Amino acid sequence: LELLPSPPRAAAVEVAGWLAVAMDYSSVQPLDGDMLAARCGPAPGPSAVLGSEGVGRVVRSGVEERFPVGSRVAFVYRRLGEECGSWQTEVTLDLSSACIALLPTNLAPQVAAAGLTSTFVAMACLRHFKAGDTVVVAPACGA
């Protein structure tokens, strides 16, 4: 086993609706193995960063009115298998590529990451549905 240096990170593209999040916790789940084995899209390159969801603190925000600096958020990338990268110390998200939910101040981030990340993210994603839409919940308890 050889430890390779990380490639330099590209400068974050700060587009409308962006925020930078210092990661506290990120999940490890079967989807990560599927991405690595190219079972849900092309195999990632050697410098790819896996991870599809997480919990962290907002450190910079282009949407300060919704996600103020210092607040904690839970998120999941919208296009799983195409977008990933939560296994790093800081991620730059935008509202078009991630479902992002503000966490209550009385909820510890490790609790959110351990069991509620998916719940908070689902709540954030529900805003895209209207009354009368059908939502199918397949096996909803992980692997």
Side-chain angles (χ1 to χ4, degrees):
L1 210 47
E2 179 183 352
L3 181 62
L4 300 174
S6 297
R9 272 192 352 198
V13 178
E14 296 175 354
V15 296
W18 68 273
L19 58 149
V21 176
M23 295 300 298
D24 290 325
Y25 300 94
S26 181
S27 67
V28 177
Q29 56 182 314
L31 177 63
D32 301 308
D34 290 344
M35 286 190 287
L36 193 58
R39 287 189 291 266
C40 62
S47 64
V49 179
L50 296 178
S52 56
E53 66 181 12
V55 172
R57 184 176 300 280
V58 177
V59 292
R60 292 181 304 286
S61 180
V63 281
E64 182 77 21
E65 66 285 351
R66 287 181 63 189
F67 300 106
V69 170
S71 61
R72 289 206 187 272
V73 295
F75 71 91
V76 65
Y77 290 103
R78 292 183 188 276
R79 291 173 285 280
L80 300 178
E82 294 176 33
E83 297 181 66
C84 55
S86 63
W87 292 0
Q88 51 190 335
T89 56
E90 185 177 298
V91 297
T92 300
L93 305 171
D94 70 77
L95 301 178
S96 67
S97 67
C99 288
I100 308 165
L102 201 57
L103 293 177
T105 56
N106 64 346
L107 180 65
Q110 63 270 32
V111 172
L116 299 177
T117 300
S118 297
T119 302
F120 280 102
V121 169
M123 289 169 51
C125 291
L126 285 176
R127 72 179 185 274
H128 298 288
F129 295 92
K130 59 187 179 305
D133 282 353
T134 300
V135 177
V136 177
V137 179
C141 295

